[in-house]
């Protein structure tokens, strides 16, 4: 039996967060991406938020021209950022919910209640040759809706599991497993991300049909102590031995 290797996408938003805190030109997100790729990352993820709190438009354009791996652009379904995606043409777009006051993305996209506006955006991006993923909670209705909207891929929100313990963690992990099986049966590619650390990744890797794990905050936080390349290599090693 052949087993596929789970890919690692590294989110470098918080390298830009550090830069924006002082309004400096450093640390350089392009150099961060280069180090991540050298350490075994299969792709780079950035979230271009409406408030531009970390990643900037220029970062996305520069990364598109310098990456050797895949560029995954996280974004809300808003016209000006859709326009950036169509201009830059990342390998993948992950559509996420976004609130101005949130510290980070707080939950999955309401694909089931989104209506024709989201359907039109998915269609436009698909027609441009950009693979579309919807960031959704592990709920059957949301996965069914993602399929109905024409998205070829979902990213399961793993934050509920990663923040839980005991029986709650067991329940959330079971939900992720069932959701991944449902998505695979519908022909959707299955990614996952949010809140994943070295302490939680082994359990996440028991979720079936995973293609890519997108991990950012914990890798950048670990890099403070061991360096960015070492932090990526640690996580890559965990995924490789799964």
């Amino acid at each position: 039996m052949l087993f596929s290797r789970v890919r690692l996408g590294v989110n470098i938003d918080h390298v830009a967060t550090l830069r924006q805190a002082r309004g400096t030109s450093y640390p350089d997100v392009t150099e961060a991406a280069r180090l991540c790729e050298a350490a075994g990352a299969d792709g780079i993820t950035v979230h271009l938020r409406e408030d531009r709190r970390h990643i900037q438009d220029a970062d996305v354009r520069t990364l598109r021209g310098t990456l050797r791996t895949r560029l995954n652009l996280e974004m809300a379904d808003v016209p000006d950022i859709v326009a950036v995606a169509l201009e830059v043409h990342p390998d993948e777009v992950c559509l996420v919910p976004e609130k101005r006051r949130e510290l980070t993305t707080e939950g999955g996209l309401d694909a089931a209640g989104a209506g024709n506006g989201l359907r039109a955006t998915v269609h436009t991006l698909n027609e441009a040759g950009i693979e579309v993923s919807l960031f959704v909670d592990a709920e059957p209705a949301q996965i069914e809706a993602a399929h109905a909207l024409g998205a070829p891929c979902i990213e399961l929100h793993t934050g509920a599991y990663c923040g839980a313990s005991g029986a709650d963690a067991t329940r959330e992990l079971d939900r992720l497993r069932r959701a991944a099986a449902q998505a695979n049966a519908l022909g959707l590619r299955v990614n996952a991300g949010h809140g994943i650390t070295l302490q939680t990744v082994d359990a996440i890797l028991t979720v079936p049909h995973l293609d890519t794990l997108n991990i950012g905050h914990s890798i950048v936080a670990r890099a403070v102590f061991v360096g960015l390349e070492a932090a990526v290599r640690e996580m890559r090693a965990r995924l490789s031995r799964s």
Side-chain angles (χ1 to χ4, degrees):
M1 182 180 293
L2 295 178
F3 292 90
S4 61
R5 170 181 180 268
V6 177
R7 296 189 290 182
L8 173 63
V10 178
N11 185 314
I12 57 172
D13 289 350
H14 292 301
V15 175
T17 296
L18 187 58
R19 178 193 64 192
Q20 297 303 115
R22 286 288 183 93
T24 60
S25 60
Y26 63 86
D28 181 3
V29 295
T30 306
E31 176 64 7
R34 186 190 69 77
L35 293 171
C36 291
E37 288 183 319
D42 300 292
I44 300 297
T45 294
V46 292
H47 184 174
L48 184 64
R49 294 183 63 103
E50 283 191 89
D51 61 14
R52 306 306 200 269
R53 68 173 63 168
H54 38 55
I55 294 295
Q56 305 297 302
D57 299 48
D59 296 325
V60 181
R61 295 186 178 100
T62 301
L63 288 167
R64 174 71 288 182
T66 57
L67 288 182
R68 295 175 297 154
T69 57
R70 291 171 59 86
L71 175 61
N72 174 34
L73 178 62
E74 290 185 353
M75 52 178 271
D77 180 17
V78 293
D80 68 312
I81 301 189
V82 172
V84 172
L86 293 171
E87 173 204 337
V88 174
H89 210 276
D91 298 285
E92 183 175 346
V93 156
C94 184
L95 293 168
V96 303
E98 195 172 294
K99 299 174 185 176
R100 290 284 179 135
R101 294 174 181 265
E102 67 187 359
L103 292 176
T104 184
T105 305
E106 294 174 348
L109 190 70
D110 183 14
N116 290 330
L118 183 59
R119 185 186 306 277
T121 298
V122 171
H123 176 76
T124 297
L125 294 168
N126 278 337
E127 286 294 299
I130 301 168
E131 186 173 14
V132 181
S133 174
L134 301 186
F135 184 71
V136 294
D137 291 325
E139 297 176 0
Q142 297 299 340
I143 295 162
E144 187 69 44
H147 177 254
L149 288 168
C153 179
I154 61 165
E155 180 168 330
L156 290 172
H157 179 218
T158 54
Y161 167 73
C162 292
S165 60
D168 289 340
T170 300
R171 181 169 57 252
E172 292 298 335
L173 188 59
D174 286 343
R175 289 179 67 223
L176 289 167
R177 290 169 176 158
R178 290 194 300 271
Q182 177 190 358
N184 181 70
L186 290 170
L188 298 173
R189 185 163 66 85
V190 182
N191 298 336
H194 200 80
I196 299 173
T197 66
L198 287 169
Q199 289 70 45
T200 58
V201 69
D202 289 343
I204 292 293
L205 287 167
T206 68
V207 175
H209 312 299
L210 289 176
D211 183 279
T212 301
L213 293 185
N214 289 306
I215 307 172
H217 183 265
S218 71
I219 289 176
V220 175
R222 177 70 173 151
V224 172
F225 301 101
V226 302
L228 187 54
E229 284 189 89
V232 174
R233 289 186 195 281
E234 282 182 337
M235 191 62 77
R236 175 67 271 168
R238 288 292 186 91
L239 270 61
S240 296
R241 75 173 193 232
S242 64

